[in-house]
Amino acid sequence: MVGDAAHVVHPLAGQGLNIGFRDVAALVETVTETARLGLDIGSATALERYQRWRRFDSAFSGAAMDGMNRLFSNDNAPLRAIRDLGMGLVDRAPGLKRFLVREHRRNRRRPAPSEGRGSLAAWRAIPSQREAS
C-alpha cells in the first residue's frame, strides 16, 4: 500500500509496490555512484538525476493502472464488449499470453535510463558494484 500511495496509483495487482521497489533500486544506485565520484549524495544534481531517471516509469505505470482500473470497473456495454473481446483474444493466443505474463513479471536489474542527465551522463559508463564483482 505504501508504494501505491506514494505514486497515487490504484492498488491494482500491487504495482505500486513494484514501482516503489524500482524507485529504491534507482535511488541506491544514484547514491552509490554519486558517492563513488566523491560528490555530495544530497546535492540537487544527484537528486534531479534520480527524479529524471524514474519519471517515465512512474508516470507510465500510474497511467496504465488507472486505465486498467477504469476499463475493468466500467459497466458501459460497448466498452465491456471490447474488453471481453480483447481478453478472449489474449486467452486464445498462448504466445501473447506468455509475453504479457513475462512482461508483468520482468524484474529489471536497473531501471530504464532517462533522457538528459546533463553532466552526469558519464555515470552510466561506470560499472556498478554488482557488475564489478
Side-chain angles (χ1 to χ4, degrees):
M1 292 298 284
V2 172
D4 297 323
H7 287 285
V8 194
V9 296
H10 187 278
L12 186 67
Q15 292 306 301
L17 180 63
N18 292 338
I19 298 167
F21 285 153
R22 292 191 302 265
D23 288 343
V24 169
L27 185 59
V28 166
E29 189 163 331
T30 299
V31 168
T32 301
E33 290 180 6
T34 302
R36 189 175 318 140
L37 292 172
L39 302 172
D40 178 10
I41 63 172
S43 70
T45 303
L47 297 177
E48 286 168 2
R49 175 183 181 263
Y50 162 78
Q51 183 181 20
R52 282 191 310 271
W53 196 349
R54 295 299 305 138
R55 184 176 293 136
F56 176 78
D57 181 47
S58 297
F60 178 78
S61 296
M65 290 303 101
D66 183 58
M68 294 295 282
N69 181 48
R70 289 174 189 258
L71 178 66
F72 285 95
S73 65
N74 195 316
D75 201 30
N76 176 285
L79 186 58
R80 188 175 60 235
I82 293 169
R83 177 185 66 214
D84 293 347
L85 175 66
M87 293 298 291
L89 290 173
V90 169
D91 193 45
R92 290 182 195 87
L96 178 58
K97 191 187 294 187
R98 278 191 302 274
F99 170 78
L100 293 172
V101 169
R102 190 171 47 247
E103 283 300 304
H104 176 71
R105 291 181 180 167
R106 183 176 57 170
N107 182 8
R108 300 180 204 156
R109 285 175 48 107
R110 289 184 182 204
S114 63
E115 296 287 325
R117 290 194 199 109
S119 63
L120 300 176
W123 282 15
R124 299 304 289 167
I126 300 171
S128 67
Q129 289 176 350
R130 67 180 167 273
E131 292 168 344
S133 56

